[in-house]
Amino acid sequence: MCSPYVSVIIAAAGNSSRMGKNVSKQLLDISNNKVIEFSLKAFSNSEYVKEIVISTKKEEVEIISQLKKTYPKLTSIVEGGKVRQESVKKALNVLNKNSEFVAIHDAARPLITTEDIDKIIKLALSCGAVCPVSKVVDTVKIAKDGTITDTINRDTVFLASTPQVFKTDIYKQCVSSLKDTDTFTDDCSLVEKFGHKVKTYVMERDNTKITTPKDFKKVKNALENSTPSIRIGHGYDVHRLATDRDLILGGVKIPHSVGLLGHSDADVLTHAIMDSLLGAASLGDIGKHFPDSDEKYKGISSMKLLFHVKKLLDEHGYKVSNLDATIIAQEPKLSPFIKEMTKNIINVLGVEENQVNVKATTEEKLGFTGEKLGISAHCVSMIYKE
Ligand code: ZN
């Protein structure tokens, strides 16, 4: 994918006066993470994001610099200005010269997710400027001197949120055209002032900005109780044994008098693994993705198909937690080949050795595997989204 260069500015220089604490809200602790780290993590996990710049208070530059080790996309930390606008301007000056889009985010909004970030950026790529918004639930009134003067149709009213995403050159142009007396409470109003159209993206999830201790409590509860999205899948496959066929299991060619019959290389172990992964992700099964009526899969190495499944999981934001597979074969003895099969699988899936377990067993000469008519395989896998 040839994706554009997207930079991120996290504004963390605001004061935390309404929090009633000495420490800045972006450095408060939730589950052993600083508040700002939740945003850092969400942006780091976006494939669009190439660099992250944080503007923060002078006294916090050093402590925030330490986060560079954990988040390699965090390239610069700049000392913020007196007002937000000035802090963002300073960060703009250090962006990579290749920057094509810039996402500006409040450090005090740790509930932002990679999924929303990606959707907002994707929309900005097509229209140039996007402001995430949330719907207003209550009826909106306009009042003056304690008396209502008007009621606004709430369908036309939205609350602005972050990250707001703009074409970097447009945003820079707007900033450089600013007068010292111009002040804006959000970045989008600045772009609007210069006549640029800004599209809205309606946030489905809560993206509360921590302003008061009550907000902090609410956000902390939400983050502590959020469980990662874990999913489980099962795969089962059988192939008949036949003469004049190679026996291939887990991408390893095993010397044997007979081999498995099938349209592809009939690697029954890899097929069970793929089905369990596709099942866990609700993506159907291998028959749907690689139909045996398709000539291009004739004799294909199932490891290539496994690589395709891995790419599908990537596209849907899933990572493999672990998988456990069992091959059921009366013959041959498979233990000498297990290590090599495991190695092939971990290489394709890009995981560690302890995330893949392959076992082999017999069915004590019972049934079709016991009678050496075929070989079957089971696999259970667990995948997750961060
Ligand atoms: Zn199969």
Side-chain angles (χ1 to χ4, degrees):
M1 182 176 74
C2 177
S3 66
Y5 196 106
V6 178
S7 310
V8 175
I9 293 175
I10 301 182
N15 70 50
S16 303
S17 53
R18 277 185 277 174
M19 288 295 292
K21 294 189 180 181
N22 291 330
V23 58
S24 292
K25 54 192 174 189
Q26 57 267 16
L27 297 181
L28 290 174
D29 182 87
I30 298 177
S31 304
N32 295 322
N33 285 281
K34 294 176 180 57
V35 164
I36 196 170
E37 283 187 72
F38 292 93
S39 300
L40 265 175
K41 196 172 178 182
F43 281 102
S44 294
N45 287 340
S46 165
E47 283 192 21
Y48 289 111
V49 172
K50 303 288 191 295
E51 65 169 346
I52 303 172
V53 175
I54 295 178
S55 72
T56 190
K57 283 187 270 189
K58 188 182 175 184
E59 59 272 28
E60 286 167 7
V61 168
E62 203 183 317
I63 186 160
I64 288 189
S65 296
Q66 288 168 11
L67 297 173
K68 278 184 175 176
K69 278 179 267 168
T70 320
Y71 305 94
K73 287 187 184 176
L74 174 58
T75 50
S76 312
I77 290 107
V78 297
E79 196 186 313
K82 281 190 211 70
V83 290
R84 190 181 191 281
Q85 218 166 281
E86 204 181 317
S87 303
V88 172
K89 194 173 174 180
K90 285 185 165 186
L92 266 184
N93 291 336
V94 303
L95 294 190
N96 187 297
K97 62 174 175 23
N98 297 319
S99 175
E100 289 168 83
F101 284 83
V102 58
I104 306 173
H105 183 64
D106 291 325
R109 292 188 194 270
L111 296 180
I112 190 69
T113 62
T114 306
E115 201 180 331
D116 274 325
I117 290 169
D118 285 345
K119 285 181 180 170
I120 297 165
I121 292 175
K122 208 171 163 189
L123 181 59
L125 299 185
S126 65
C127 68
V130 174
C131 177
V133 294
S134 51
K135 285 181 180 163
V136 176
V137 188
D138 298 321
T139 303
V140 183
K141 302 285 185 189
I142 300 206
K144 199 178 174 193
D145 302 327
T147 306
I148 290 171
T149 56
D150 204 358
T151 300
I152 293 179
N153 176 2
R154 69 177 172 202
D155 292 343
T156 64
V157 181
F158 296 92
L159 303 175
S161 185
T162 72
Q164 299 179 0
V165 184
F166 312 98
K167 275 193 107 163
T168 309
D169 56 352
I170 290 179
Y171 193 73
K172 278 187 170 173
Q173 216 174 52
C174 295
V175 168
S176 62
S177 315
L178 265 185
K179 293 193 202 93
D180 285 347
T181 48
D182 292 334
T183 51
F184 296 97
T185 50
D186 77 332
D187 307 286
C188 168
S189 358
L190 162 65
V191 176
E192 291 160 50
K193 180 189 152 78
F194 289 99
H196 298 284
K197 288 264 181 295
V198 181
K199 284 259 184 208
T200 55
Y201 169 84
V202 180
M203 301 281 291
E204 282 163 18
R205 299 182 189 84
D206 181 18
N207 192 27
T208 296
K209 182 175 180 180
I210 303 172
T211 310
T212 63
K214 199 175 154 194
D215 301 327
F216 178 67
K217 208 170 161 189
K218 181 182 160 196
V219 166
K220 188 170 187 270
N221 268 339
L223 289 169
E224 283 175 346
N225 295 329
S226 68
T227 45
S229 170
I230 297 173
R231 301 174 64 105
I232 195 162
H234 173 253
Y236 174 66
D237 195 28
V238 175
H239 281 263
R240 193 182 285 274
L241 282 160
T243 49
D244 298 315
R245 288 282 297 182
D246 288 333
L247 177 61
I248 295 170
L249 293 169
V252 181
K253 191 170 159 184
I254 295 161
H256 195 42
S257 55
V258 284
L260 292 169
L261 195 61
H263 185 67
S264 65
D265 62 0
D267 183 337
V268 67
L269 168 65
T270 307
H271 291 186
I273 291 173
M274 289 191 280
D275 263 351
S276 74
L277 293 170
L278 290 168
S282 272
L283 290 171
D285 61 14
I286 53 173
K288 176 182 160 190
H289 294 276
F290 319 113
D292 60 12
S293 52
D294 193 331
E295 269 308 292
K296 74 176 170 198
Y297 299 123
K298 195 168 164 36
I300 195 170
S301 160
S302 295
M303 301 313 283
K304 283 188 182 164
L305 305 182
L306 181 62
F307 181 64
H308 185 83
V309 168
K310 146 89 171 131
K311 283 207 307 201
L312 276 172
L313 292 180
D314 287 348
E315 275 166 35
H316 287 80
Y318 288 114
K319 289 186 173 157
V320 176
S321 172
N322 75 306
L323 61 87
D324 182 20
T326 305
I327 309 163
I328 302 161
Q330 191 62 44
E331 275 181 4
K333 197 173 165 48
L334 295 173
S335 55
F337 307 101
I338 296 282
K339 206 171 171 183
E340 205 185 335
M341 294 180 206
T342 310
K343 205 173 138 199
N344 287 343
I345 296 157
I346 63 167
N347 283 345
V348 172
L349 293 178
V351 295
E352 303 291 325
E353 216 167 83
N354 65 3
Q355 290 173 278
V356 172
N357 192 66
V358 177
K359 317 186 283 300
T361 187
T362 72
E363 279 182 319
E364 300 286 343
K365 298 186 179 166
L366 295 167
F368 68 85
T369 66
E371 287 170 28
K372 298 183 243 173
L373 297 172
I375 292 180
S376 66
H378 289 267
C379 181
V380 174
S381 65
M382 192 174 270
I383 60 171
Y384 66 99
K385 261 187 193 180
E386 278 180 324

